[in-house]
Amino acid sequence: MAPDVLIDGTFGAELKYGDITPLLTWDSGNPNALLDTMERIRNIFIATQLAAAVTSPCERFQQEVSIISAVKPQMSCILRNAGDYIALFVDIPIAQQPDTKSPVARILMTCTNTFQFKSMECTVLWPPLMKEDRSVSLQRFNPSNSALQYVLQLEDTIQEVLQRRNGSQIHREQFIREIVQSDFGKYLVEYDQESYSYLILYVMMTTQNDSLLGCALVQIHFTDLFPSKTPTVILKSPLFFSNAESHTPEERQIAYQFEEKAPPGQNLERLKFTLLNEMAAFQTYLVSRPPRK
């Protein structure tokens, strides 16, 4: 049996049962039936809001949305009456081939209740996995220009960011796999297999007779600026804590320098050398430090 669908009064138009095709042809054996229903309702909502915007008595709303929708059909908008003013939110994916992982330009336009244009501003919404890139300097939005003009300018900048990040991920994956496939691979705890943003090792130092000299949890964190920016390497003790009442491990960030143009294998050897030396110094510090209070 098809589910009941309840729509609140903010939908913006009368929604008829016959408009929701997946409900009319409901197939309980189709695992995507409910998803198809919600997608159909969403598309009706988007179309309703777009129609309201392009027929708005506010001429600037009409102009901006008409132009944007003609060039960027993936856009969506929501028109809201906020009491003493009317707000129009327009979301435009910023990518040559937009998907759910694309950044979005959100345009907020406002007008008075008498439909006199008031203001327009733009922000960039970054998807969760991408996060905001603070190294990117975005051009300031000039409300005297069209919103579409600004978004097209943003696209060039964002495309450079995406290309750099894709290149960075390839380099991160290569270096992490190099570590995992080396003799240090036996110390592997885990690594990020999706975006290759971190690697965790449990490294043990032993003598030639396999007597344990020391051990540490090694966390290696990469940013989207790798390989131009060296990864952060942190040592954590599994036995010593920051104070007597805390279960927070004693830790130390170590100095490691990744050379972007180094010959193959050299950065891995430098990492091994740095880790073993820093671990020895860290272990000496831990066993000789005064008791924590």
Side-chain angles (χ1 to χ4, degrees), residues 12-69:
E14 181 182 355
L15 184 63
K16 298 178 181 179
Y17 183 84
D19 294 333
I20 311 175
T21 310
L23 284 182
L24 293 176
T25 58
W26 183 261
D27 178 7
S28 58
N30 178 8
N32 294 320
L34 184 58
L35 181 62
D36 292 342
T37 299
M38 300 306 297
E39 183 68 16
R40 175 58 181 158
I41 294 173
R42 177 181 180 274
N43 289 338
I44 294 174
F45 176 75
I46 290 175
T48 300
Q49 293 294 308
L50 178 60
V54 297
T55 58
S56 169
C58 178
E59 292 185 4
R60 186 68 181 270
F61 283 11
Q62 290 184 31
Q63 294 170 357
E64 295 289 350
V65 175
S66 297
I67 294 172
I68 293 171
S69 61

Side-chain angles (χ1 to χ4, degrees), residues 153-171:
Q153 292 173 346
L154 282 181
E155 275 192 350
D156 293 336
T157 303
I158 297 298
Q159 195 61 35
E160 292 178 5
V161 174
L162 297 179
Q163 290 174 352
R164 189 196 70 216
R165 289 183 170 186
N166 290 337
S168 174
Q169 178 161 329
I170 292 173
H171 287 292

Side-chain angles (χ1 to χ4, degrees), residues 11-287:
F11 193 81
E14 181 182 355
L15 184 63
K16 298 178 181 179
Y17 183 84
D19 294 333
I20 311 175
T21 310
L23 284 182
L24 293 176
T25 58
W26 183 261
D27 178 7
S28 58
N30 178 8
N32 294 320
L34 184 58
L35 181 62
D36 292 342
T37 299
M38 300 306 297
E39 183 68 16
R40 175 58 181 158
I41 294 173
R42 177 181 180 274
N43 289 338
I44 294 174
F45 176 75
I46 290 175
T48 300
Q49 293 294 308
L50 178 60
V54 297
T55 58
S56 169
C58 178
E59 292 185 4
R60 186 68 181 270
F61 283 11
Q62 290 184 31
Q63 294 170 357
E64 295 289 350
V65 175
S66 297
I67 294 172
I68 293 171
S69 61
V71 179
K72 295 289 184 181
Q74 305 90 350
M75 61 84 72
S76 61
C77 63
I78 298 178
L79 194 63
R80 286 289 178 263
N81 191 327
D84 57 343
Y85 67 94
I86 299 172
L88 175 64
F89 297 87
V90 182
D91 284 358
I92 311 165
I94 310 175
Q96 294 178 351
Q97 296 179 334
D99 57 28
T100 56
K101 298 180 181 179
S102 301
V104 170
R106 171 162 291 176
I107 311 291
L108 169 60
M109 291 177 270
T110 61
C111 72
T112 65
N113 281 329
T114 57
F115 307 109
Q116 299 298 312
F117 180 77
K118 287 182 60 177
S119 65
M120 181 161 58
E121 59 187 59
C122 178
T123 56
V124 176
L125 308 179
W126 299 86
L129 289 179
M130 185 177 290
K131 299 182 181 179
E132 180 177 359
D133 192 330
R134 298 186 182 278
S135 68
V136 180
S137 178
L138 300 177
Q139 297 170 290
R140 293 182 62 86
F141 178 61
N142 184 351
S144 63
N145 296 331
S146 73
L148 179 63
Q149 179 181 356
Y150 179 68
V151 170
L152 293 178
Q153 292 173 346
L154 282 181
E155 275 192 350
D156 293 336
T157 303
I158 297 298
Q159 195 61 35
E160 292 178 5
V161 174
L162 297 179
Q163 290 174 352
R164 189 196 70 216
R165 289 183 170 186
N166 290 337
S168 174
Q169 178 161 329
I170 292 173
H171 287 292
R172 296 196 303 267
E173 179 180 0
Q174 290 174 342
F175 189 50
I176 286 178
R177 292 196 182 281
E178 186 179 3
I179 296 172
V180 171
Q181 293 169 6
S182 73
D183 54 346
F184 258 39
K186 62 185 178 183
Y187 300 130
L188 177 67
V189 176
E190 66 171 338
Y191 66 92
D192 176 7
Q193 298 184 51
E194 183 173 349
S195 58
Y196 301 94
S197 61
Y198 70 86
L199 171 81
I200 300 177
L201 306 169
Y202 184 70
V203 180
M204 294 178 288
M205 294 192 307
T206 59
T207 65
Q208 293 181 346
N209 298 325
D210 290 332
S211 297
L212 184 64
L213 293 176
C215 56
L217 198 66
V218 180
Q219 296 180 338
I220 305 176
H221 297 275
F222 300 84
T223 71
D224 290 323
L225 299 179
F226 180 84
S228 59
K229 182 176 181 180
T230 294
T232 300
V233 183
I234 299 173
L235 301 180
K236 290 191 175 185
S237 171
L239 304 174
F240 294 85
F241 301 105
S242 57
N243 60 65
E245 297 181 354
S246 170
H247 293 288
T248 303
E250 187 79 55
E251 65 177 54
R252 171 184 292 183
Q253 182 171 327
I254 66 175
Y256 165 67
Q257 186 61 43
F258 184 94
E259 295 290 342
E260 185 174 357
K261 298 182 179 180
Q266 182 172 308
N267 282 308
L268 176 59
E269 292 304 315
R270 183 183 291 114
L271 176 63
K272 292 179 182 179
F273 179 81
T274 302
L275 278 178
L276 294 178
N277 279 277
E278 291 288 346
M279 281 182 60
F282 189 41
Q283 186 68 20
T284 300
Y285 160 74
L286 292 174
V287 297

